[in-house]
Amino acid sequence: MGEAPADGRPRGLWRDADFLKFWSAESLSMFGAQISVLAIPLLAATTLDATPFQMGVVNAAQFAPYMLFTLLAGVWIDQNRRRPIMIGANFGRAVILGLIPLLTALDVMDVGLLSVIVFLAATLTVLFDLAYQAYIPSLVGRDHLIEGNGKLEGSRSLAQASGPGLGGVLVGLVTAPAAVLINACTYLVSAVSLLFIRRSEPAPASTATEGSVISRIGTGLRLVGTNPYLRAIAGEAATYNLFNQGLWAVLILYLTRELHFTPVILGVVMAMTGIGAFLGSLVAGRLGRRWGIGPTIMGTMVIACAAPLLIPAAGGGRVLSAVVVGLALLINGMGVVISNIQVISLRQTAVSSEILGRANAGYRFLVTGTAALGALLGGWLGGLIGLRATLVVVGLGTLGALVFIARSPLPRLRDLSEVVPDDGRRGERGTGTAPVVEAGDPH
């Protein structure tokens, strides 16, 4: 294992056996999830012949739990160890997604039932995601957050690059329900892998003196609203998600029904997001050090928000259309993942561990809840004004996300050493150049 520092952890994560177990387990489930990203919409669009609005409903179902359960889940996660929650969530997702091929084989599947299954699986994803991001600092230590998040985002990028392409091939070879079953199996294997992590997780701090559940929820939301950096990132991410999910609500229909992409071509084009994200993960740390955290977030989100406008410009035959759409998704994926690595590390650094679950929950409630509304908006607009026009409208709307960053002190943040961890009891302080709070994903 090599010489270890005072906290007992190896000096590098490549030598950290427990992180490698976590990384491999999460990478596998990321890969499986990306297969379903393509397989479930294709099941709805082709096998179930969904309308644009029904596609919006299916997409909204995966984000609705963030609006309904995130805040309570954050409080619960702060009261419990995070790893058992992740293990249980993965076992649950394996069972729930396994219902899709079963019910399809029984010829009882419809869009409504599919939406319910997606909603239930997404509810467990809420628990997993909040526990996952609160668990990483205790697993790797704050000194290794950038490295750990970079490796995890690199895996996510590779999954995005290869998962949809393989998903398209699998749908063509063994049908969409069978492809979803493979995703269910990856969750099962991932859950078992997490059982073998040996590093003990610290017991959660007592919250008995922090008042009611409502007041503890308020602590997480207050952290999002009072700090200028976090407020800017949350506003940007919420706006991005609103319009980006409007785009994804109609994108599969647009590519299959108007541009006539086959499942294989669709999978290859969709994989461009992951290829761009993987390339971004390779340079994210270097750019953050060279440009500074804030300027990197601002610059890469300009790229990410502008790229989708290329999609409705696609035309001139199937091959040229595939090149244009693929380029747009590649640029978008690169911009988003570079920004995400900086933002996730920032929020994990700036919030004390004992309230990180609630802080993440407040953030995800605000920024992911809008995704469900965006999916419904995109589906409604697709039926009202057409698929291409909807892509133009939501693409222009995405640019509005940049206003929140440009009008904040975030572009002047240079390094995580300027960030003071907040325990939720101190309110805002400082000069506007050193945050006391935290900030994810648009993402």
Side-chain angles (χ1 to χ4, degrees):
M1 296 290 290
E3 185 181 355
D7 63 2
R9 293 186 178 90
R11 292 189 181 279
L13 295 182
W14 282 111
R15 297 183 175 184
D16 189 328
D18 284 325
F19 174 77
L20 294 178
K21 294 171 189 174
F22 177 80
W23 186 19
S24 61
E26 181 58 6
S27 297
L28 181 63
S29 60
M30 287 176 182
F31 187 91
Q34 288 301 316
I35 295 175
S36 286
V37 162
L38 184 65
I40 289 177
L42 276 177
L43 173 64
T46 57
T47 304
L48 303 180
D49 197 26
T51 66
F53 182 74
Q54 287 175 325
M55 291 293 290
V57 171
V58 173
N59 282 334
Q62 66 179 312
F63 297 109
Y66 286 91
M67 300 179 68
L68 298 176
F69 307 127
T70 295
L71 296 177
L72 285 173
V75 172
W76 182 61
I77 285 167
D78 279 342
Q79 295 173 333
N80 296 275
R81 285 184 169 90
R82 284 74 185 250
R83 186 165 67 98
I85 295 173
M86 293 188 293
I87 293 169
N90 270 345
F91 277 126
R93 289 191 289 185
V95 172
I96 290 170
L97 288 181
L99 293 174
I100 291 179
L102 175 62
L103 296 177
T104 302
L106 295 174
D107 199 26
V108 296
M109 181 63 73
D110 58 26
V111 173
L113 189 54
L114 179 64
S115 299
V116 171
I117 292 173
V118 169
F119 176 85
L120 293 175
T123 300
L124 293 177
T125 298
V126 168
L127 293 176
F128 184 93
D129 284 354
L130 293 177
Y132 156 77
Q133 292 189 352
Y135 176 67
I136 292 174
S138 69
L139 178 66
V140 305
R142 293 185 182 271
D143 290 344
H144 293 299
L145 279 177
I146 291 287
E147 181 186 359
N149 285 323
K151 285 178 167 56
L152 288 161
E153 288 300 311
S155 293
R156 191 185 309 277
S157 304
L158 283 174
Q160 289 174 340
S162 56
L166 179 59
V169 172
L170 288 173
V171 170
L173 292 177
V174 299
T175 74
V180 175
L181 180 60
I182 293 174
N183 181 194
C185 291
T186 65
Y187 285 137
L188 182 63
V189 175
S190 178
V192 173
S193 299
L194 291 174
L195 290 169
F196 289 95
I197 292 177
R198 300 179 61 184
R199 181 170 297 138
S200 61
E201 181 183 355
S206 173
T207 59
T209 62
E210 296 185 22
S212 66
V213 171
I214 298 299
S215 67
R216 280 177 262 166
I217 288 174
T219 299
L221 288 171
R222 190 161 52 248
L223 286 173
V224 178
T226 57
N227 180 265
Y229 293 149
L230 183 54
R231 188 167 58 240
I233 294 171
E236 175 267 323
T239 305
Y240 179 92
N241 284 345
L242 176 70
F243 292 104
N244 187 59
Q245 287 307 313
L247 180 147
W248 281 97
V250 298
L251 181 61
I252 298 295
L253 291 179
Y254 176 71
L255 298 181
T256 57
R257 295 182 182 177
E258 296 199 8
L259 298 186
H260 307 293
F261 286 6
T262 66
V264 173
I265 293 176
L266 182 62
V268 172
V269 169
M270 297 274 284
M272 292 300 105
T273 297
I275 292 173
F278 176 68
L279 295 175
S281 71
L282 296 179
V283 300
R286 188 180 310 165
L287 290 179
R289 291 188 297 271
R290 182 169 182 174
W291 295 353
I293 297 268
T296 299
I297 293 172
M298 181 67 191
T300 53
M301 284 315 298
V302 169
I303 294 171
C305 291
L309 287 171
L310 289 173
I311 295 175
R318 185 183 298 177
V319 174
L320 182 58
S321 295
V323 170
V324 173
V325 175
L327 179 63
L329 295 179
L330 182 137
I331 295 171
N332 174 262
M334 183 180 295
V336 168
V337 80
I338 294 173
S339 173
N340 275 354
I341 289 173
Q342 319 300 323
V343 169
I344 294 171
S345 301
L346 172 60
R347 84 170 191 251
Q348 290 169 339
T349 300
V351 180
S352 297
S353 177
E354 62 267 21
I355 63 165
L356 191 52
R358 277 167 287 168
N360 285 338
Y363 181 85
R364 297 301 290 267
F365 171 77
L366 295 173
V367 309
T368 311
T370 59
L373 300 177
L376 293 175
L377 173 66
W380 175 71
L381 284 175
L384 183 68
I385 63 176
L387 301 178
R388 185 187 292 267
T390 297
L391 291 173
V392 173
V393 170
V394 297
L396 291 172
T398 302
L399 294 173
L402 301 172
V403 174
F404 291 93
I405 298 179
R407 297 184 62 183
S408 78
L410 180 61
R412 297 191 294 275
L413 176 64
R414 301 295 304 178
D415 190 81
L416 290 178
S417 63
E418 302 173 27
V419 179
V420 181
D422 190 8
D423 61 5
R425 300 184 180 93
R426 287 181 290 185
E428 233 181 286
R429 69 179 186 184
T431 64
T433 59
V436 297
V437 133
E438 62 104 48
D441 270 64
H443 304 195

